[in-house]
Amino acid sequence: MRRTTTRATAVVATVLATGLLTGCAEELPTPKPEAPVAAAVVTQSQEREILDKVAGVVGEVTKAKDAEKLEPRLSGPALDIRETQLKVADARGDTEPLTDLTMEMQQVILPSDQEWPRSSFAITVQPKDLTTPVLMSFDQATARDQYKLWGWVRLLPGVTMPQFAEAELGSPAVPPDDESLKVTPTDAIKQYASALTVDKDSKYADSFADDDLRQFFRDYGKLQVDAINKEECRGAFKVEYEPTKDPVKAVRTADGGALVMAAMISQETITAREEGCEIGPPTKTTQALWGDTDVTNVVEVNYKDMVAMYVPPKDSDDEISLVGYEHVPSSVSNG
Amino acid sequence: MVQRFLAILLILAGLGGIGFGVATATVLRESDTVVATATPSGDGTMVVTEPGVLGLVDDQVTVRATVPEGQKVTLALGSDVDVLGWVGDDPFDSVTGLSSWETLSVAPGTAAAPEEEAAEGEETDEAPAEKPSTGPDPAGSDMWISEVSGETTVSMRWTEQPGRVVLLAAGVGKNAEAPTLELTWPRQASTPYLWPGVLGGALLLILGVFMAIGARRSAKRSAGKGRSPSAVRTRQPDPDLPRRDAAFGIDGEGSSPAGHEPAVGFPPALGDPAEGGTAVYPPVRPELPGRDRPELRPVQSPVQSPVQSPMPRPEPDLTEPEHTRSWGAPAPFGGAAPITPPPVPEQAPEPVAAPVASVRGIRRRRGQAPGAAPAAGAQPPAQRTPFGGTAPEQGPAPSETPSAAQADQADPAASAASGRPMTRRELRMREQAQRRAATGAMPAVPAAEPEPEPEAEQPQTPSSRAAAWRQTWGVTGNDGGN
């Protein structure tokens, strides 16, 4: 009797003890965050959404021709240039001046820096109008700002873009005064403005590989001068470039160089120096902008420009080379 | 009485155990979700979770943020860098983890590392960055992986993904307050009490039922008798000797049919002490042999009645002796064992299950005693001997020992059944008990003989061992009952 009672008690005790112990075993979990990893601060899917939003705004504005609506998604030079293009397009009555900003990208260059401002870059696929692809730059000024289209250039035909880090890893931004490059991004733009303005006479000319833009001005200037000289009016052509106060954007390339993008303004002046000669605006766009202005012997065309160039690292033998530009006439005057 | 009381206790405990086990899996079952709430400290309008908090309990989390009626609230998910960058220098609360299963720990947030840059931007964007009278709205930022805005209460689901994703909850607008956060995770609600409760309860229940049956049997016999077996025992210090004799008498019966003689001779001896406890014996003893010699009964009953006449109830005495013998006997048996030859081998199994063995011993002896069916009767001893040897010698095969024990239990039962005529009820009970003891393996094992292999698995389960134990109890009760 006694034994069995003891046994029964033991059984009951065991059962209860087992139950209670298993029941109380669960502990409060503690957060186990993943270690921070080096990665782009913008994921590709986020970038895609950003692109869609920006492209949506651009597309709507293009249709509605309401430039004010650009502001939420365009900033800096891009906003300025697009507004100009819209104005010009309005004056011309067609859409030819509008750069195709369809944002179907063949490559994205995402930021890896956690600080703001953050910049990302993207290269579009070849547009339908068979113009060259466009290199766009997006900017997030502060954490509470949205990514906005900050600038773009049309790539030069046949240009080879430098290599960038994998999009997942992100590419670090290069400060405007970065010393690891052949010249700092800011200086590169200044020197290039000089090279554009005086071409071979610039003391910086040797730093830059010859490029399509400079060749264009040579050809274009010659064309204008020849046209005026045909009338024996002693034509002259001059172009002046000057960086704007907008910051220079630069992103590190895989080889330690940088892709530098900056806004500039330029003015081309065509003059018929012979007394009594009068010249009018040369192109369809400038004609549209010209309007009723009296014709004189001078035509001044103001442009808004954007250039992108590759600046090699300091110890490189390569030259600084232009990869793309945008050259948008904004106003015309008779001097 | 004690037996019945214990039986009721066991049944109640068993039912309680089953009920509790089932209840923990149903009514009392822990909810399938963990719901933890974070109450903001009051500074600022924003609450940010630390990396890892969203996936604290499960990858799936449902977030609910509540602000005072009518105010706007926004929930946004983003990387910790983005969220802290967005929050910038504004005061905020940081959810650091669970402080209990219902509460999230909240601490004043510390500004993010890139605060300077962010601060610059904020100063131009939002002048009142230090004391935001207006809660800034994070809605619509390109940085958010997911976001939702609404009035008073908003909720969103999130499946944790690689990366350091954190939640930003912000009260928005004038006089905004930081929202109260509620994170809900699904959880595998474990039911740790279910099976222990049900199985343990069932065990106790069955145990109790068997005891109750045993108690009832004995109660029927002793209906109306006020004395409890224990009372009998305690009263027997003096008649100890006669009683032991009685026990021996049984043994004698078991070992040799000649043993009947002293048994028959007992009544006078019992009559001497004139105590109820001793007087009990005669009826029983005659009973066992009674089958063999029914004529004894009439002889004894007259003897009994005079003895019992002083006692108010004559009948109980009939059962009581059995009681004393069946339950009380084991104790004396321990001492008696060396005297009688059969108990010697039987003591070997005792270490295996001491309390059981002693009880079993009675049965075996009894089974042997009748020897009505020589073949059947021969078997149990044959087996017992090997068993007796098996337990101590076959140390290397521990699994066999319990199996042998089981077979052993089955054997005495079988032998008893075959050896002595039993009532149908008794037979049925035994069969049941046997079946229960053997449980699932029964069909696989046609006879109780081939113990080693098929039954080897069973003994390992505590229930089978317990069943064996139970069986022993039940059988004993039956024995005594008859």
Side-chain angles (χ1 to χ4, degrees):
Chain A
M1 261 324 230
R2 170 85 20 118
R3 275 181 177 181
T4 51
T5 319
T6 321
R7 208 158 191 206
T9 319
V11 169
V12 174
T14 314
V15 167
L16 286 181
T18 319
L20 286 172
L21 283 176
T22 46
C24 298
E26 231 171 337
E27 279 179 20
L28 278 178
T30 49
K32 293 177 191 68
E34 287 179 27
V37 289
V41 292
V42 180
T43 65
Q44 296 200 50
S45 59
Q46 279 179 314
E47 176 74 2
R48 186 64 255 164
E49 281 181 29
I50 293 167
L51 293 174
D52 288 344
K53 285 176 188 168
V54 177
V57 168
V58 171
E60 239 174 69
V61 169
T62 305
K63 261 188 238 161
K65 298 189 168 35
D66 184 358
E68 279 176 20
K69 287 185 180 169
L70 286 173
E71 275 178 40
R73 283 299 181 179
L74 273 78
S75 70
L79 179 62
D80 196 12
I81 291 172
R82 193 59 172 183
E83 280 173 349
T84 304
Q85 286 188 331
L86 285 165
K87 188 184 75 184
V88 172
D90 191 43
R92 276 178 54 135
D94 60 18
T95 60
E96 203 258 63
L98 298 174
T99 306
D100 187 347
L101 292 179
T102 306
M103 293 181 193
E104 195 182 332
M105 301 302 176
Q106 54 170 299
Q107 188 186 354
V108 289
I109 300 145
L110 299 173
S112 66
D113 304 274
Q114 301 188 338
E115 297 82 26
W116 283 268
R118 294 172 175 175
S119 299
S120 69
F121 296 80
I123 300 167
T124 68
V125 296
Q126 175 109 35
K128 286 178 203 135
D129 59 6
L130 298 181
T131 55
T132 56
V134 174
L135 169 67
M136 297 180 182
S137 169
F138 300 84
D139 172 84
Q140 188 188 26
T142 75
R144 293 193 187 181
D145 280 317
Q146 300 288 52
Y147 278 89
K148 294 177 181 180
L149 179 62
W150 179 84
W152 75 84
V153 295
R154 296 186 212 233
L155 293 180
L156 303 177
V159 74
T160 306
M161 287 297 289
Q163 293 284 316
F164 294 93
E166 289 289 319
E168 287 82 12
L169 294 173
S171 301
V174 177
D177 54 356
D178 188 86
E179 296 286 340
S180 68
L181 303 172
K182 220 161 196 178
V183 290
T184 66
T186 310
D187 288 347
I189 296 301
K190 277 184 191 162
Q191 292 175 14
Y192 188 59
S194 164
L196 282 170
T197 306
V198 293
D199 202 9
K200 281 165 188 153
D201 294 336
S202 168
K203 58 177 173 179
Y204 305 115
D206 292 342
S207 306
F208 295 87
D210 199 13
D211 57 62
D212 286 8
L213 184 55
R214 285 198 280 167
Q215 189 57 46
F216 165 78
F217 284 122
R218 282 174 217 138
D219 294 346
Y220 180 73
K222 191 169 180 291
L223 182 75
Q224 299 301 334
V225 170
D226 287 353
I228 297 166
N229 287 350
K230 232 185 235 174
E231 310 295 328
E232 298 187 342
C233 282
R234 288 207 296 139
F237 178 83
K238 187 177 74 170
V239 64
E240 286 173 308
Y241 266 85
E242 180 186 327
T244 65
K245 285 177 182 171
D246 287 302
V248 175
K249 277 203 181 300
V251 60
R252 188 72 65 184
T253 56
D255 62 0
L259 178 72
V260 177
M261 204 166 173
M264 295 200 280
I265 50 168
S266 65
Q267 186 182 59
E268 65 180 44
T269 313
I270 307 163
T271 317
R273 284 175 289 183
E274 192 61 44
E275 202 76 21
C277 285
E278 287 180 345
I279 51 170
T283 63
K284 196 183 173 187
T285 300
T286 48
Q287 282 162 12
L289 288 170
W290 187 268
D292 303 334
T293 315
D294 290 338
V295 187
T296 65
N297 66 332
V298 178
V299 170
E300 272 181 14
V301 184
N302 294 303
Y303 289 88
K304 292 182 175 172
D305 289 80
M306 201 88 220
V307 294
M309 61 184 70
Y310 163 69
V311 181
K314 205 164 205 166
D315 53 356
S316 169
D317 294 334
D318 294 340
E319 297 167 303
I320 303 170
S321 57
L322 187 75
V323 295
Y325 69 91
E326 184 65 296
H327 186 58
V328 177
S330 60
S331 64
V332 198
S333 75
N334 55 9
Chain B
M1 266 329 256
V2 173
Q3 190 183 357
R4 186 185 282 178
F5 177 70
L6 190 62
I8 290 169
L9 208 69
L10 283 174
I11 290 173
L12 286 180
L15 286 176
I18 294 172
F20 177 69
V22 171
T24 54
T26 52
V27 190
L28 300 177
R29 182 187 168 117
E30 286 181 84
S31 79
D32 286 337
T33 54
V34 175
V35 182
T37 312
T39 313
S41 65
D43 288 343
T45 60
M46 290 175 277
V47 180
V48 177
T49 65
E50 282 198 347
V53 169
L54 288 178
L56 205 51
V57 179
D58 191 89
D59 284 349
Q60 297 267 347
V61 63
T62 304
V63 182
R64 208 158 70 93
T66 311
V67 288
E69 184 74 30
Q71 292 196 0
K72 194 190 171 196
V73 58
T74 295
L75 285 176
L77 286 164
S79 77
D80 57 340
V81 174
D82 289 350
V83 167
L84 292 179
W86 197 93
V87 170
D89 278 350
D90 285 354
F92 68 99
D93 284 321
S94 181
V95 177
T96 55
L98 284 171
S99 60
S100 77
W101 281 110
E102 286 85 32
T103 327
L104 292 162
S105 47
V106 178
T110 47
E115 63 189 56
E116 284 177 31
E117 260 97 344
E120 275 175 41
E122 269 161 41
E123 274 163 34
T124 53
D125 278 14
E126 292 160 54
E130 291 304 310
K131 293 176 184 175
S133 60
T134 301
D137 190 357
S141 173
D142 288 335
M143 298 188 294
W144 308 148
I145 297 160
S146 176
E147 63 165 77
V148 61
S149 291
E151 278 204 354
T152 309
T153 295
V154 291
S155 63
M156 75 191 304
R157 290 178 65 95
W158 167 244
T159 304
E160 185 78 326
Q161 286 167 9
R164 292 163 64 88
V165 176
V166 301
L167 174 81
L168 168 64
V172 178
K174 280 193 175 179
N175 304 318
E177 290 176 22
T180 301
L181 264 191
E182 186 187 278
L183 302 186
T184 306
W185 294 277
R187 170 172 61 176
Q188 281 294 92
S190 58
T191 54
Y193 297 102
L194 175 59
W195 290 113
V198 169
L199 293 181
L203 197 92
L204 296 182
L205 184 66
I206 292 168
L207 214 66
V209 166
F210 268 90
M211 277 188 81
I213 290 170
R216 213 174 167 194
R217 289 270 163 93
S218 45
K220 255 188 215 160
R221 284 254 148 195
S222 61
K225 184 198 69 174
R227 264 174 274 136
S228 67
S230 60
V232 173
R233 227 187 273 164
T234 48
R235 263 199 218 172
Q236 287 178 336
D238 284 294
D240 217 340
L241 270 177
R243 199 183 159 213
R244 197 171 272 182
D245 283 2
F248 290 157
I250 299 166
D251 274 357
E253 284 168 19
S255 48
S256 66
H260 289 307
E261 303 295 353
V264 183
F266 246 83
L270 289 170
D272 290 336
E275 272 199 19
T278 5
V280 169
Y281 286 86
V284 183
R285 207 168 306 107
E287 198 189 2
L288 287 171
R291 308 255 156 145
D292 299 349
R293 307 182 190 179
E295 73 276 6
L296 278 180
R297 232 174 244 252
V299 179
Q300 273 181 346
S301 44
V303 178
Q304 248 182 329
S305 43
V307 177
Q308 280 175 345
S309 51
M311 304 304 287
R313 290 160 248 147
E315 281 212 8
D317 287 345
L318 285 173
T319 21
E320 202 185 322
E322 286 175 20
H323 239 307
T324 350
R325 210 196 290 146
S326 58
W327 296 102
F333 258 73
I339 304 172
T340 47
V344 179
E346 275 166 345
Q347 269 186 331
E350 269 181 34
V352 180
V356 181
S358 62
V359 179
R360 222 187 272 145
I362 303 169
R363 255 183 295 131
R364 249 178 240 134
R365 261 164 242 139
R366 278 191 191 164
Q368 277 176 308
Q379 264 183 354
Q383 253 191 345
R384 205 179 310 125
T385 340
F387 170 54
T390 312
E393 283 170 18
Q394 283 190 345
S399 62
E400 270 185 44
T401 319
S403 79
Q406 213 191 347
D408 196 53
Q409 289 150 10
D411 268 356
S415 71
S418 55
R420 209 191 320 139
M422 291 166 79
T423 61
R424 281 207 186 138
R425 194 175 178 187
E426 201 178 355
L427 280 167
R428 217 185 307 127
M429 290 306 294
R430 269 185 202 195
E431 269 169 42
Q432 273 178 8
Q434 269 175 272
R435 223 177 293 135
R436 231 168 261 144
T439 57
M442 201 53 180
V445 190
E449 305 281 289
E451 337 147 339
E453 284 153 72
E455 285 181 357
E457 302 158 29
Q458 262 197 333
Q460 287 175 343
T461 70
S463 64
S464 68
R465 220 179 294 146
W469 185 55
R470 233 178 291 131
Q471 182 202 5
T472 315
W473 276 53
V475 170
T476 316
N478 288 347
D479 263 352
N482 261 317

